[in-house]
Each structure stands twice: as C-alpha cells, then as structure tokens.
Amino acid sequence: VQLQASGGGLVQAGGSLRLSCAASGLTFSRYAMGWFRQAPGKERAFVGYVWSGRATDYAASVKGRFTISRDNAKNTVYLEMNMLKPEDTGVYYCAAKYLVPGIEWDDYNYWGQGTQVTVSS
C-alpha cells in the first residue's frame, strides 16, 4: 500500500492550498481517509477525516476553513485549506483506516510520507 501526499508549499497568511493524497494497493472505497499534521516541536495532530461515504469531521482549529473530499474513481483524497494561518504550518500526512475513521494516528492502518506546508505571516 502506498499513500502519496503532494501539494504542499509556501503560502502567505490568508491564502489557500490544496493537498492531494493518491492511494494505491488497497480497495480505496473501503477506507476512511484521515489528515494529520505535525508542527515543529509538537505532536502529530488530527486535522480531519472523510468516511468512505464522504461524510467528514474536522478538528475545531480548522473547522470552517478546511475541507476534505475524496474521488473514489481516482483513489485520491483532497484537503482544501483556506484562510491559512501561520499556526497551520507543519508537515501534513494522509492516512487510511479500514471502514471506520478515527482521530488518533495509531488508529490508522497506512500512512503517507507527508508534505510540508509553510504559512508566512
């Protein structure tokens, strides 16, 4: 199984980025997909997830600014990030969990390698 995250970069505060995570080697439609992030010197933190049926949930810190979606035909999950803040800076990871999502990193079965997002003030 491979999860390949991409789309990170440097953006000014208030800007937007769209991350993608392409999955292979698994029956994508059966997996809930989560996004996590790790800021420098901090623990990895839950950002949000999308169920296989496209229902979503988010951490309070990103609710209303971030949107997770998925395209099962392309085996890809997306994280649309708007109104970015400097505190959104970190490495963003996607993860896959069979059927039911979770909010803990260790809940997930597979993890991607991460993509760096830097938000300047």
Side-chain angles (χ1 to χ4, degrees):
V1 173
Q2 283 195 326
L3 301 178
Q4 184 72 39
S6 61
L10 173 64
V11 63
Q12 287 189 329
S16 299
L17 276 177
R18 187 194 197 202
L19 306 185
S20 299
C21 174
S24 61
L26 75 172
T27 305
F28 184 73
S29 62
R30 291 183 176 268
Y31 282 79
M33 300 299 296
W35 285 96
F36 293 79
R37 66 186 181 188
Q38 188 165 20
K42 294 190 175 181
E43 298 278 318
R44 196 165 296 171
F46 169 73
V47 173
Y49 59 63
V50 57
W51 286 73
S52 58
R54 295 180 174 81
T56 55
D57 198 9
Y58 301 91
S61 59
V62 307
K63 197 169 288 187
R65 300 187 297 121
F66 290 12
T67 302
I68 298 173
S69 60
R70 65 189 296 158
D71 185 338
N72 287 345
K74 295 183 178 180
N75 285 7
T76 301
V77 62
Y78 304 97
L79 176 63
E80 183 80 35
M81 304 184 292
N82 298 310
M83 297 181 288
L84 281 161
K85 305 174 182 180
E87 51 264 43
D88 294 319
T89 294
V91 179
Y92 282 70
Y93 300 87
C94 59
K97 185 179 183 296
Y98 188 65
L99 292 181
V100 179
I103 63 171
E104 299 292 338
W105 179 256
D106 291 344
D107 289 340
Y108 285 74
N109 306 111
Y110 305 107
W111 305 270
Q113 86 291 354
T115 185
Q116 175 71 45
V117 171
T118 303
V119 184
S120 63
S121 55

